[in-house]
Structures are given as C-alpha cells and as structure tokens.
C-alpha cells in the first residue's frame, strides 16, 4: 500500500547521501519532495503541513548542523516524525479489572468489521483469553451467518440469538451477551455492529445506543485503508457520534495510496491499535508505529519477523535441527519440518519485505509464488522414508517414480536433491563459521543454526587489492569462487519459479536457507 510513498521518500533522500554538510537549499529541496510524496500518498493536507513544518524546523536546527552525517540525521528526523504521526507508542487493549472486557466494533459497511471480529477473536484466543463474538449486525443480509462461519474458523464462540436479515433488536442482543459471557466464563466480548454505505443519523443512533447499553471498555473504529480522503471525514463523524477509543486499519495489502488512513490518528487523536493485512485470520496483529515508519522508509521490520519466527519455530526442535545440520545428519524429513514452520510464518513475499533495503526489489518479491513451497513438499512427501533419510540412494528410476507421484518433472526432483546437498554443505560451514556470509545477525534467529547472538567471533581479515561487489548475490558467488549470476528468476525456495529475464537474484544464502 505504501510503495509509492516509499519510492518518493527514497528519491528525496538520494540527493542527500554523500554530502558532508547540508545547505539550506538542500534541506528545502528535500522537504519539498517529502511534501509532494505525502500529498501524492493521499495524506490529509493539515497533517502534511504540520509534518513538513516540524521536519523543516528540526532539519535547520543544531542536531543536523553538528551531526557527523547530516543526511542520515535528516532521515532520522523524518522517521521520528512519521512515528509521531502514526501514534508514537504502541497502544495495547485495556482489559477490564472485572471480566468480561467488552470491545465494540464500529465503522462503515464494507470496511471488513465481521471478518475482523473473527481475526480479533483468534488473536485474543492465541493470547490466552476466552473471547465470545456477538452478532449485533441484524440488518445486513446473512451478516449473522457470516459471523458464525468466521467464528467457527477462528475456533471462537459466537452468540447469535437472533437470525438477523432485519429481524431482532441489536441493543437487546448486546445487553444479553454480557450476562451470557458471565454465565459461560468468557472474559472478552467482541460486539459486531451494523454498518452503512454512508454516514447517517440511524447508524449513529444505533451505535450509540449499543454503547450506552454495554458500556464497552474499547470502541474500535474499523476503517478500510483504501477509502481515500473521505476516511478522515468519516473518522471524525464517528469520533463525534460514537467516541471511539482506537482505530483498526484493514486491507493494508491493497494497492491504494493509503495515506488518508495514516491521517486518522493525527486528525482524531485516537491511536491506531491493530492492522489487518490479508484475507487469512492470521493476517492481523498489533499496530506498532515505529515498525510501520521503518517499513515506509525501507528500513525493514526485523522485530516483527523475529516475533513471527519465534511463534512458528519450536526452540527445542530448532536446536536439534541445528545440531543435526552441524553434524551432517540433516535429512529431508528435517527440511520438511522447517518448510512447515516457514509456511506458518505467512507469505514469503511479506517476510522478505520485512528485511531492510528490500524496497528496491519490491516488484520481484511480489512475483514470488508461495505455491512453490507446496510443490517442494509434494516432492519430499512422494519419497519413501528411507529416501528422505538418505537422498544419495535416489537413482534415476526412483526420481522418475517421485516425479510421477508428486506431479512434477524429473528435472525438478533432480534440482531439489542437488540443491539440498549443496545447501546442507553450506549450512555445515555456516554452523562452524558462525553465520550467514554477508548477513550479520541472522544466526540469532530461531531455526537459524550457528553461533548465538552476542557470541564472540574472530575478526575477519580484509584482503587488500580486491574489490568486493555491492550485490549480495555477487558477493556470495565470489566467496565460493563461482561466476556471479547474470539473471534471476529464483522465485521458489529451491530454484523453482517463474524464470524470465531479470537482473534480480535473491542472495544464494537466503535461498538455500529457505
């Protein structure tokens, strides 16, 4: 969603890099580009005005003039101001001292409230709570049935005493849900209310009546990130009519400019608490202003990546896998378990997008096909247990049988077996040497073999007279004495992919890890 904003900001910073001192003209030109970038991203004009004024004041101040690297200091200022626009500190849910905690959802029709209720319910359940979803949207056709389906998928109880489709009183249902939650020992109640195609008095009256009846601890305004400038006016109307306590952004994976959604926090003063970035129930998490600002500036979001890895990888299993790898006993069964864990982390393109500096490869990363992991799993599952334990016994006839069983070509089986052997050798070297060449700090991640983060390592001796490439793929090739790759297409984890003429190639270390 923020690709265009990211591109324009990077373009604005390009002219600053390499300068030892910034003149007022340099700062003015950069601020002008930042202003255009924010306006093109659909950020509200008052927000842009305040943002630019603050950046200009700080950029012309002492903190930049006395900095060792003024250009980086300006980028830091922009990052700080973005964090401020997005809310500053992460805002957590305020749970009631006496259960149940009541969370009410409000917003326009089509913003994704019902689906988000299921996502919120699953998130609460994963965090140790016992939530109950309440169907108070009794006017939209099949809204009650949709919530029941979503609740079943999330594994969360749904309270729906009325059939909906115009039948039932939503205020009475909301009131009854509190007593039902106490009776059934649910500690959180999520009330899904009705939406409309536009702002009207009936909507606000119904929402305010439900609020008065259940006295919610949190009222979350659900807003479609693709709404545009109307998002600010809608948010202000809901703030006046329902007085919500927090904002939830949906459809962050869309291709709209999205700046208007970022303006909501600045205009209404209400924090953004959650963000939804996909259709799956797991595509939902707490909104961290500092991490979002870091993503917009193409500085990555490694903390979220680490958190996802910690959820997906079992620490004990990862340690056992690392020991096996270091000892040369890592098998395709172990690799299959790692693939399953990677799949739990989410989309491959999203994970790569969280790495710093990947903004320049956004088009190629977007072309990655997660189905390729499924094809690799199919090949491994078509092998016998003995073949998975010892891939060296897979001869020509076995490869033909495996290819037929997995619906793939024999060349795909050959590629997987040969790349697994190469990757195993490289990982053994990494385990002995302490990490991935050219990727400092990765050995501390769950599931990544090698020395633990913070372990002492011998300093690398630099060779004189030999220039190293700035391209990670070329560096990896040079380190192994191989010619640098001339074209990419390695979209799949083990080389299966779209192919095609492109100068993009994922670092070999990263592809082999995946």
């Amino acid at each position: 969603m923020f690709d265009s904003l990211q591109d324009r900001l990077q373009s604005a910073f390009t002219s600053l890099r390499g300068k030892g001192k910034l003149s007022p003209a340099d700062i003015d030109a950069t601020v002008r580009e930042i202003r255009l970038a924010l306006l093109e991203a659909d950020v509200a004009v008052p927000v842009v005005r305040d943002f630019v004024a603050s950046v200009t004041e700080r950029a012309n101040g002492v903190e930049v003039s006395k900095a060792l690297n003024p250009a980086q200091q300006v980028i830091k200022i922009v990052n700080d101001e973005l964090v401020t626009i997005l809310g500053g500190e992460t805002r957590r849910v305020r749970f009631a001292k006496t259960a149940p905690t009541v969370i009410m959802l409000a917003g326009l029709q089509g913003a994704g409230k019902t689906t988000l209720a299921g996502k919120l319910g699953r998130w609460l359940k994963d965090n140790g709570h016992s939530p109950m979803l309440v169907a108070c949207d009794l006017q939209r056709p099949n809204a009650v049935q949709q919530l029941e389906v979503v609740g079943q998928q999330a594994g969360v109880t749904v309270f729906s005493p009325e059939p909906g489709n115009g039948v039932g009183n939503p205020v009475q249902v909301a009131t009854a849900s509190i007593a039902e939650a106490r009776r059934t020992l649910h500690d959180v109640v999520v009330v899904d209310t009705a939406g409309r195609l536009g702002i009207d008095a009936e909507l606000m009256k119904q929402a305010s009546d439900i609020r008065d009846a259940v006295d919610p601890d949190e009222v979350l305004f659900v807003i479609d990130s693709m709404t545009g400038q109307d998002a600010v006016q809608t948010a202000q109307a809901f703030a006046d009519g329902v007085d919500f306590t927090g904002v939830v952004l949906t459809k962050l994976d869309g291709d709209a400019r999205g700046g208007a959604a970022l303006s909501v926090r600045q205009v209404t003063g209400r924090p953004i608490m959650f963000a939804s970035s996909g259709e799956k129930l797991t595509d939902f998490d707490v909104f961290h202003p500092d991490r979002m600002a870091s993503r917009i500036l193409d500085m990555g979001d490694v903390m979220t990546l680490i958190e996802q890895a910690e959820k997906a990888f079992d620490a004990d299993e990862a340690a056992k896998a690392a020991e096996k790898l270091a000892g040369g006993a890592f098998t395709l069964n172990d690799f299959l378990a790692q693939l399953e864990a990677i799949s739990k982390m989410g989309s491959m393109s999203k994970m790569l997008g969280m790495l710093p500096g990947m903004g320049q490869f956004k088009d190629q990363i977007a072309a990655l096909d997660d189905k390729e992991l499924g094809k690799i799993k199919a090949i491994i599952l078509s092998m016998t247990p003995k073949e998975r334990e010892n891939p060296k016994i897979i001869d020509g006839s076995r490869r033909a049988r495996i290819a037929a069983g997995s619906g793939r070509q024999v060349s795909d089986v050959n590629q997987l077996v040969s790349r697994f052997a190469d990757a195993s050798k490289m990982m053994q070297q990494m385990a002995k040497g302490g990490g991935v060449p050219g990727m400092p700090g990765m050995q501390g991640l769950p599931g990544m073999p090698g020395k633990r983060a913070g372990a002492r390592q011998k300093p690398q001796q630099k060779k004189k007279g030999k220039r190293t490439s700035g391209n990670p793929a070329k560096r990896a090739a040079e380190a192994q004495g191989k010619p640098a790759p001339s074209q990419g297409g390695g979209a799949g984890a083990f080389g299966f992919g779209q192919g095609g003429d492109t100068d993009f190639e994922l670092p070999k270390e990263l592809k082999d890890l995946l």
Side-chain angles (χ1 to χ4, degrees), residues 339-399:
L339 280 184
E340 296 287 355
I342 288 175
S343 298
K344 292 178 183 178
M345 289 179 64
S347 167
M348 190 72 65
S349 58
K350 288 182 181 179
M351 283 191 287
L352 290 175
M354 293 179 189
L355 296 175
M358 281 296 182
Q360 58 185 317
F361 300 129
K362 61 170 65 77
D363 293 336
Q364 294 87 342
I365 290 176
L368 297 180
D369 188 358
D370 290 323
K371 294 180 181 178
E372 300 300 333
L373 289 182
K375 295 174 183 177
I376 296 172
K377 293 179 190 177
I379 293 176
I380 298 175
L381 291 172
S382 296
M383 299 177 182
T384 65
K386 186 177 293 186
E387 289 168 345
R388 290 182 219 161
E389 291 294 326
N390 185 14
K392 294 180 180 179
I393 68 173
I394 303 178
D395 54 20
S397 61
R398 288 175 183 265
R399 295 181 189 218

Side-chain angles (χ1 to χ4, degrees), residues 141-164:
N142 297 319
V144 174
Q145 290 74 13
Q146 181 189 354
L147 186 65
E148 290 174 344
V149 171
V150 171
Q152 184 177 12
Q153 293 173 345
V156 176
T157 302
V158 177
F159 180 67
S160 53
E162 298 290 350

Side-chain angles (χ1 to χ4, degrees), residues 406-427:
S406 61
R408 304 294 291 166
Q409 301 294 323
V410 175
S411 60
D412 294 334
V413 180
N414 294 339
Q415 200 173 34
L416 173 61
V417 173
S418 62
R419 289 204 174 219
F420 176 77
D422 293 341
S424 296
K425 291 178 183 178
M426 192 198 73
M427 294 289 266

Side-chain angles (χ1 to χ4, degrees), residues 77-329:
I77 290 172
V78 174
N79 179 73
D80 292 344
E81 294 302 321
L82 273 177
V83 173
T84 301
I85 278 185
L86 296 172
E89 297 181 355
T90 302
R91 165 75 152 74
R92 304 286 181 174
V93 175
R94 292 183 299 224
F95 292 98
K97 294 181 179 179
T98 304
T101 298
V102 181
I103 301 175
M104 174 180 162
L105 304 181
L108 297 180
Q109 185 172 322
K113 291 190 304 302
T114 301
T115 302
L116 190 127
K119 293 181 177 183
L120 178 59
R122 181 188 174 96
W123 180 84
L124 289 166
K125 182 180 177 182
D126 290 343
N127 283 273
H129 296 279
S130 176
M132 182 179 75
L133 309 183
V134 182
C136 286
D137 184 355
L138 305 180
Q139 299 184 14
R140 181 168 61 87
N142 297 319
V144 174
Q145 290 74 13
Q146 181 189 354
L147 186 65
E148 290 174 344
V149 171
V150 171
Q152 184 177 12
Q153 293 173 345
V156 176
T157 302
V158 177
F159 180 67
S160 53
E162 298 290 350
N165 298 321
V167 178
N169 187 322
V171 178
Q172 292 178 0
V173 171
T175 304
S177 68
I178 307 302
E180 177 67 13
R182 292 196 180 102
R183 187 184 70 82
T184 55
L185 301 180
H186 288 89
D187 64 343
V188 182
V189 173
V190 179
V191 182
D192 178 32
T193 63
R196 290 291 185 279
L197 293 176
I199 302 297
D200 56 47
E202 182 184 357
L203 165 66
M204 290 303 175
K205 182 67 169 63
Q206 184 183 101
S208 61
D209 287 346
I210 293 176
R211 177 181 180 122
D212 294 341
V214 299
D215 189 21
D217 300 278
E218 298 280 9
V219 179
L220 302 183
F221 173 55
V222 182
I223 183 169
D224 184 342
S225 299
M226 303 172 70
T227 302
Q229 283 293 332
D230 189 52
V232 176
Q233 298 177 1
T234 303
Q236 190 61 59
F238 270 89
D240 297 337
V242 186
D243 191 25
F244 58 84
T245 59
V247 179
V248 182
L249 298 180
T250 63
K251 306 178 186 178
L252 275 178
D253 55 329
D255 57 0
R257 289 172 290 184
L262 301 184
S263 309
V264 170
R265 187 307 176 166
Q266 192 79 350
V267 172
T268 65
R270 302 329 194 262
I272 302 173
M273 294 178 58
F274 295 98
S276 172
S277 58
E279 297 180 358
K280 296 180 180 179
L281 292 178
T282 53
D283 295 332
F284 175 84
D285 210 343
V286 174
F287 183 86
H288 299 278
D290 54 340
R291 300 183 190 180
M292 180 57 71
S294 183
R295 286 195 201 186
I296 292 174
L297 294 178
D298 195 24
M299 294 189 291
D301 187 0
V302 178
M303 283 304 300
T304 297
L305 187 60
I306 291 174
E307 289 175 359
Q308 291 182 357
E310 288 175 339
K311 291 178 183 177
F313 287 89
D314 180 86
D316 294 334
E317 292 298 324
K320 291 178 183 177
E323 291 176 4
K324 283 186 175 183
L325 196 53

Side-chain angles (χ1 to χ4, degrees), residues 13-24 26-27 59 61-74:
F13 297 144
T14 300
S15 60
L16 296 180
R17 293 190 174 96
K19 293 190 176 183
K21 185 177 181 180
L22 298 183
S23 66
D26 293 329
I27 294 175
V62 178
E63 60 182 306
V64 172
S65 62
K66 291 188 177 182
L68 294 177
N69 192 322
Q72 291 184 359
Q73 193 67 20
V74 171

